[in-house]
Amino acid sequence: MDSNWTWIAENAPLLAAYLPLITALLVIVVTLLGVQRLLVILTRTTGSTPPAKNTTRFDKGEHPLSEFDEELPDESTAPPLHSADTLHIPYCPERLSEAEMLSRSKAYYEEMNKRRSVREFSTDPVPLEVIENIVRMAGTSPSGAHCEPWTFVVVKDSKIKSQIREIVEQEEYTNYDRRMGDKWVSDLKFLNTDHDKQYLEEAPYLIIVMKQQYHLGDNGVRYSHYYYEISTAIAAGFLLTAIHNAGLVTVTTTPLNAGGALRDLLGRPANEKVMLLLPVGYPAGDAKVPGVTRKPLEEIMALK
Ligand SMILES: Cc1cc2nc3c(=O)[nH]c(=O)nc-3n(C[C@H](O)[C@H](O)[C@H](O)COP(=O)(O)O)c2cc1C
């Protein structure tokens, strides 16, 4: 040992000078690693350490705010959107007899089963009040924490409709040509659709469904909207039902890649994004729809 030490001192004087320090550092590092390992084992066995705030309580992608594409400021000091003192009021809707339930549910299904997506429209006008009622009905939809994260932009002005058509057709041309790819385009063949969207000028109204990621309160605080995508999609479902119920038609469209330009054109704020574009009106006299059928109950319902 002594001869080793002499050899090091002679051949590597710098190493010899720092060896005690290096040894001490190594001992500290090994001890810390050991303590950390011990803590991990203890935590696993006792389960006593609560999960860190805002981390492990949701699986990846399951947090209700995980859809946000930007960092959110801390809203923890903002007052809640709805007061904790909100009065709970009686709710006693009429209870139907089983016979009536059966008859009403069947009739409603049969009526809704007549709904079809239509891409050829009549230019006949529709009273604005009908559209207002349809939008009112969509606004009765449930929403996460009652945030009501939607705006329905109703376009009646023919100049704006033409501008919308121009934006959408330009993007759709590229969508069909390059973005969607052969498989997607071939899966859509049965619809007989392409970039041409004449109905965007023919239909008396276009309804653009906007989803709101958040809203700014009067106090300047930014309120995040929980589950804003699902909530707005459900409201859009209500809207489709209301359109059909009023004897009108639409086609659910997702203007791929045109959302930003449409939002700018419509002068909508940064907290909103385009979700759907719906032409609304009467079908053209010679309108045709693909002769597809719907899955039977056995395929869409699982009873356990
Ligand atoms: C999310 C979603 C996106 C759709 N996007 C389009 C679209 O961009 N263009 C179109 O012509 N139809 C679109 N459709 C309509 C579907 O093609 C249509 O609902 C489907 O073929 C079934 O026909 P039906 O609505 O008559 O039952 C879309 C439907 C949904 C639900």
Side-chain angles (χ1 to χ4, degrees), residues 6 54 108 117 134 157 165 169 190 204 211 220 229 253 263:
T6 315
N54 289 337
Y108 193 57
S117 292
I134 286 169
D157 185 291
R165 179 178 178 185
E169 286 191 341
F190 79 102
K211 54 185 180 185
E229 297 227 325
T253 73
R263 181 177 69 182

Side-chain angles (χ1 to χ4, degrees), residues 112-142:
M112 288 313 300
N113 197 27
K114 292 181 198 155
R115 183 209 57 80
R116 291 306 311 271
S117 292
V118 172
R119 297 168 182 85
E120 292 143 299
F121 282 75
S122 152
T123 54
D124 290 349
V126 170
L128 180 61
E129 213 181 327
V130 173
I131 302 297
E132 287 172 347
N133 285 335
I134 286 169
V135 173
R136 269 196 191 100
M137 164 7 182
T140 68
S141 177

